[in-house]
Amino acid sequence: METRQKWFKAVLGLALALPLLASGQPGQPGEDGYDLWLRYRALPAAARAELLAHSRSLVGPTQDSPMLEAAAGEIERGVAQMGGRAPARAQAISSDGALVLATPASLPALASLGLPLAALGPEGYALRSTRLDGHAITLIAANTERGLLYGSFAWLRAVQLGADLAHLDEQSAPKVRWRMLDHWDNLDRTVERGYAGLSIWDWAALPGGPRERYVDYARANASLGINAAVLNNVNTRAEMLTAPWLFKVAALADVLRPYGIRVFVSARFSAPLEIGGLPTADPLDPRVRAWWRAKADEIYRLIPDFGGFLVKANSEGEPGPRDYGRSHMDGANMLADALAPHRGLVIWRAFVYSEKDADDRAKQAYTEFVPGDGKFAANVVVQVKNGPIDFQPREPFHPLFGAMPHTNLGLEFEITKEYLGFSTHLAYLGPLFEEVLRADTHQAPGATVARIVDGAQYGDGRPTLIAGVANIGTDRNWCGSQFDQANWYVFGRLAWDPELSAEAVAREWAARTFGHAPGVVDAIAQIMMGSREAVVDYMTPLGLAHLMGTSHHYGPAPWVAELARPEWNPVYYHRADADGIGFDRGASGSGAVAQYAPYWARRWGDAATTPPELLLWFHHVGWDERPAAFGDGRTVWEELVHRYDAGVAAVVAMRRAWDALAPAIDPRRHAEVASFLAVQEREARWWRDACVAYFQSLNHRALPAGVVAPAATLEQYRAMKFSFAAGRGG
Ligand code: GCW
């Protein structure tokens, strides 16, 4: 009897919950975020009628092609889900309302329609409402199948965003050749700096296993124009290059190919020693060179469109050419020779700093790489992180941008939030990416980071690249949190067009992901746009960096001072003592500022003309100084505390704004975000309290009037341990 009663209560509870579940968005109980922004929910009646009127039939090039099939299949899926029925496939335009996929080869009449085909290049597309053969139709036009694939996704985006389907006139072509995700996925399926479960690559089952998730991954990337993926961690084992693993890579390449994604792998520089049976991996040794050539031939036999190798060499203990007294150029060019016959690419990372080099860590990549300008092979791209240290919440742009005009320089962002609160903190990275891309290096007129990276600055057809360290895993919502999907999204959109605005992309993502009910997009975009600055403020304000916990990078640990290498310790970065705080990188300090163009060297070389956001990055200032740049007369100590408080206050405001959205968002996703925001508020306070307590223990200044004292003692913060911290991998 008792059991029955329990059951009854449980069922009653469920029944009571059901209408609630369904109430957030009509007919959408329990949305979990799996669909990402490709969320083709049934449209309201009028919009549905408009959609069906403009997709009565789907007319496409008729040749049998997996990529065209991917494009057409996506249109069918989207129209069926949003409109209630899929368009009929047709061979020819026989009525109004046809949706026509066309290339100049499949539809010679295209040439007479005045489309800017030449400007679309090999990957661009045009969407155009027009008349053809006496009928009102919608054209998705491109020079290639790949352009049609991107155009199909763009048309679906227009539908989702409520565009006027009778008057479409849009065209777009990517500005960057390689738009790439770097997965830091280990071969045991852990993910270094991954906060979204395990690796999506099910290595044990490959070349078999379920394909659905790979296909959905590919669809999401194709919808953004991402066209390359490095499957394994840059800290890799040599085994990745052995035959059993290459078969698995080939299987993934087969699934991803119809969506326009080329597969790359990270290669371990010492592989000839470890799996090749050679006594050396010296890049100038003929046996080593022959081994890599044979390896490249083997890979291309399996994967004819293999992209190439990503290499982390002589960095953080990884092997590299310098182990043999050779240069980065020697190493990269040796691999480039092996790949060149297959038109493959070497992506050589500039993320280097050495335990043997006592110089400011922020200077070392420039010091090692600038002498090599012009000496890297044509199929080498040197991949540079956005800032000179390591993906911090804020850094100045990397001084290598604009300093190697004769070298192909790629840009590396970190989408996964290693230093911005993992997946539990809401931090939209669009403003960070935008800040870097728009930064003017002043190395030449117009030389913004975006124009250097997309090739516009040099204009000589060189390979261009923007890479992002992926935040994708086996979590149902892909990224560990709903809002981290936006970081994948904005990365892809900015890699396609580095001039897009972070805010416009936030609005677009919000509308596609949560629907465009009045006020919802505004409110979500507002939360997103302030979120990165909030993290900067409660973690590392005023240009501070790297105050995070040792190795896992979870939580505050500005006091750590005992690690073997100086630059592993937060005290190395903040240099706080009784008198002041900050890293002097000016002429009287490390001189790092001289690696920038004279414009910046002058401006950032003087504390008076350094913006508050970068003050402590470039200068050591007294606690009681009142820098004019603050504009509010506060001392450095007062401003620091103020920023920490502002960061916490911003999170409180984000929480309130999100709570207010409850009636407009489906309950499951709303609750998930709300629970993470609660974590974020708790951790923001923790960051603020621990850092304020620590810096106060050094400077012995009173807290500014009205400021709340930290909740616990410094000793308590220092004693905290986190065996649960995520993302260490390997
Ligand atoms: O940011 C640091 C990370 C390491 C990473 C390294 C790199 C893959 O803490 O986990 O290693 O950068 O970029 O190589």
Side-chain angles (χ1 to χ4, degrees):
M1 187 57 200
E2 222 187 308
T3 347
R4 265 191 77 87
Q5 263 176 4
K6 269 193 194 154
W7 175 85
F8 184 73
K9 267 187 153 173
V11 172
L12 190 68
L14 263 184
L16 286 175
L18 270 180
L20 275 179
L21 281 178
S23 69
Q25 295 240 312
Q28 307 305 333
E31 285 210 51
D32 57 17
Y34 181 85
D35 292 339
L36 298 159
W37 48 90
L38 299 178
R39 189 172 159 274
Y40 303 131
R41 296 294 176 262
L43 296 173
R48 187 165 64 231
E50 193 197 343
L51 169 60
L52 294 180
H54 291 95
S55 56
R56 280 187 216 290
S57 61
L58 179 57
V59 184
T62 45
Q63 70 267 31
D64 199 11
S65 140
M67 196 174 276
L68 285 176
E69 202 38 55
E74 193 70 24
I75 289 175
E76 286 172 341
R77 176 201 293 252
V79 175
Q81 292 180 9
M82 289 189 281
R85 66 144 179 74
R89 295 240 187 155
Q91 303 286 335
I93 302 167
S94 57
S95 67
D96 283 356
L99 190 55
V100 182
L101 292 169
T103 62
S106 74
L107 188 72
L110 263 194
S112 61
L113 291 174
L115 291 162
L117 288 170
L120 300 182
E123 296 191 285
Y125 60 83
L127 308 180
R128 172 83 61 96
S129 304
T130 187
R131 292 193 71 81
L132 204 62
D133 299 344
H135 295 292
I137 63 152
T138 305
L139 262 183
I140 300 177
N143 292 313
T144 62
E145 292 181 355
R146 179 188 288 268
L148 293 182
L149 177 73
Y150 295 148
S152 300
F153 277 106
W155 181 78
L156 286 162
R157 179 175 67 216
V159 175
Q160 282 176 301
L161 295 176
D164 176 356
L165 300 182
H167 299 95
L168 286 179
D169 185 6
E170 175 187 331
Q171 65 240 7
S172 187
K175 293 189 175 144
V176 177
R177 168 72 184 88
W178 293 103
R179 308 171 297 274
M180 178 176 289
L181 285 181
D182 291 357
H183 290 266
W184 284 357
D185 294 18
N186 297 311
L187 307 192
D188 63 2
R189 284 193 84 177
T190 56
V191 180
E192 183 156 351
R193 312 308 175 186
Y195 313 101
L198 293 175
S199 168
I200 57 168
W201 319 128
D202 186 354
W203 294 118
L206 282 162
R211 293 162 45 103
E212 189 194 345
R213 200 160 173 114
Y214 304 142
V215 171
D216 289 337
Y217 162 88
R219 291 174 48 235
N221 281 326
S223 77
L224 304 172
I226 289 172
N227 63 1
V230 184
L231 301 183
N232 59 318
N233 191 355
V234 286
N235 296 328
T236 186
R237 302 203 332 238
E239 278 89 330
M240 188 64 177
L241 299 175
T242 59
W245 285 94
L246 293 172
F247 282 120
K248 295 169 190 289
V249 172
L252 284 172
D254 288 342
V255 184
L256 303 182
R257 186 172 297 112
Y259 291 89
I261 299 167
R262 300 265 297 268
V263 158
F264 289 66
V265 299
S266 294
R268 186 164 164 88
F269 196 78
S270 53
L273 277 166
E274 288 152 1
I275 58 168
L278 294 180
T280 176
D282 181 346
L284 299 192
D285 186 303
R287 293 164 300 175
V288 171
R289 302 178 75 85
W291 186 86
W292 281 108
R293 270 198 305 275
K295 185 49 74 183
D297 295 346
E298 178 192 346
I299 296 175
Y300 279 91
R301 274 195 299 277
L302 283 171
I303 311 166
D305 59 352
F306 179 68
F309 296 137
L310 171 63
V311 186
K312 172 177 179 177
N314 293 121
S315 166
E316 301 188 325
E318 295 301 302
R322 292 170 68 97
D323 303 346
Y324 305 93
R326 313 297 185 193
S327 67
H328 286 288
M329 286 78 77
D330 294 331
N333 292 345
M334 182 259 306
L335 294 176
D337 274 354
L339 293 173
H342 308 284
R343 306 169 63 84
L345 200 64
V346 175
I347 303 166
W348 192 268
R349 294 176 88 227
F351 177 67
V352 296
Y353 63 98
S354 162
E355 70 275 25
K356 297 188 190 87
D357 189 343
D359 202 2
D360 178 358
R361 175 174 163 186
K363 290 173 68 182
Q364 294 184 28
Y366 182 103
T367 308
E368 278 193 48
F369 277 81
V370 167
D373 188 29
K375 298 184 189 146
F376 286 94
N379 60 332
V380 173
V381 175
V382 173
Q383 180 167 292
V384 182
K385 289 189 181 183
N386 59 269
I389 297 283
D390 192 11
F391 299 139
Q392 296 303 297
R394 171 168 282 118
E395 297 188 31
F397 66 85
H398 202 298
L400 278 176
F401 293 113
M404 296 185 72
H406 307 292
T407 303
N408 309 324
L409 282 195
L411 167 61
E412 179 176 342
F413 284 127
E414 191 177 46
I415 308 170
T416 189
K417 303 205 313 300
E418 172 181 1
Y419 294 106
L420 288 98
F422 300 178
S423 52
T424 44
H425 293 207
L426 195 168
Y428 171 56
L429 300 179
L432 189 164
F433 298 164
E434 181 182 76
E435 181 175 299
V436 173
L437 289 164
R438 294 195 176 174
D440 188 341
T441 66
H442 285 279
Q443 294 283 14
T448 61
V449 172
R451 285 175 50 84
I452 289 164
V453 168
D454 73 18
Q457 190 64 30
Y458 306 118
D460 53 7
R462 55 178 71 193
T464 54
L465 164 79
I466 295 188
V469 180
N471 63 352
I472 297 159
T474 47
D475 276 9
R476 182 70 190 158
N477 65 26
W478 296 90
C479 301
S481 80
Q482 305 295 337
F483 273 88
D484 278 328
Q485 297 179 356
N487 292 327
W488 179 3
Y489 190 87
V490 69
F491 166 77
R493 297 288 281 135
L494 288 177
W496 176 279
D497 182 356
E499 310 286 342
L500 286 178
S501 104
E503 180 163 10
V505 176
R507 298 183 67 83
E508 184 183 290
W509 174 82
R512 299 181 77 181
T513 305
F514 289 108
H516 38 98
V520 170
V521 170
D522 294 335
I524 294 180
Q526 202 177 4
I527 292 172
M528 292 167 76
M529 288 306 292
S531 59
R532 178 269 189 144
E533 205 60 39
V535 176
V536 170
D537 280 346
Y538 65 71
M539 286 191 186
T540 50
L542 298 177
L544 290 173
H546 229 306
L547 308 185
M548 295 78 185
T550 304
S551 121
H552 48 61
H553 299 157
Y554 173 67
W559 45 79
V560 170
E562 67 284 353
L563 303 177
R565 285 171 55 170
E567 76 287 346
W568 285 349
N569 295 288
V571 297
Y572 171 91
Y573 296 96
H574 63 67
R575 311 211 158 192
D577 57 21
D579 304 321
I581 180 169
F583 197 132
D584 181 0
R585 294 192 160 101
S588 54
S590 80
V593 79
Q595 293 182 337
Y596 289 94
Y599 174 94
W600 290 119
R602 259 198 319 275
R603 196 154 174 227
W604 290 341
D606 180 353
T609 49
T610 303
E613 288 68 37
L614 293 175
L615 184 66
L616 306 182
W617 185 279
F618 286 113
H619 300 283
H620 187 83
V621 290
W623 290 111
D624 303 320
E625 281 180 44
R626 297 179 192 276
F630 290 170
D632 51 19
R634 292 196 183 98
T635 65
V636 169
W637 171 233
E638 287 164 352
E639 183 71 21
L640 187 72
V641 175
H642 170 71
R643 296 274 172 148
Y644 273 113
D645 279 332
V648 173
V651 178
V652 171
M654 279 159 62
R655 268 188 93 178
R656 278 210 199 102
W658 183 254
D659 287 347
L661 280 168
I665 309 277
D666 40 283
R668 182 165 166 181
R669 289 190 299 170
H670 189 273
E672 187 183 309
V673 173
S675 80
F676 281 171
L677 282 168
V679 172
Q680 185 172 8
E681 183 180 330
R682 205 167 55 236
E683 296 191 349
R685 289 185 192 284
W686 166 37
W687 263 97
R688 178 263 183 210
D689 284 355
C691 291
V692 168
Y694 168 69
F695 290 125
Q696 194 179 24
S697 78
L698 301 178
N699 69 19
H700 305 293
R701 304 292 192 278
L703 285 176
V707 164
V708 180
T713 65
L714 179 57
E715 289 60 43
Q716 286 169 317
Y717 292 118
R718 293 182 65 136
M720 292 167 78
K721 298 268 178 298
F722 314 102
S723 47
F724 50 81
R728 272 168 291 186

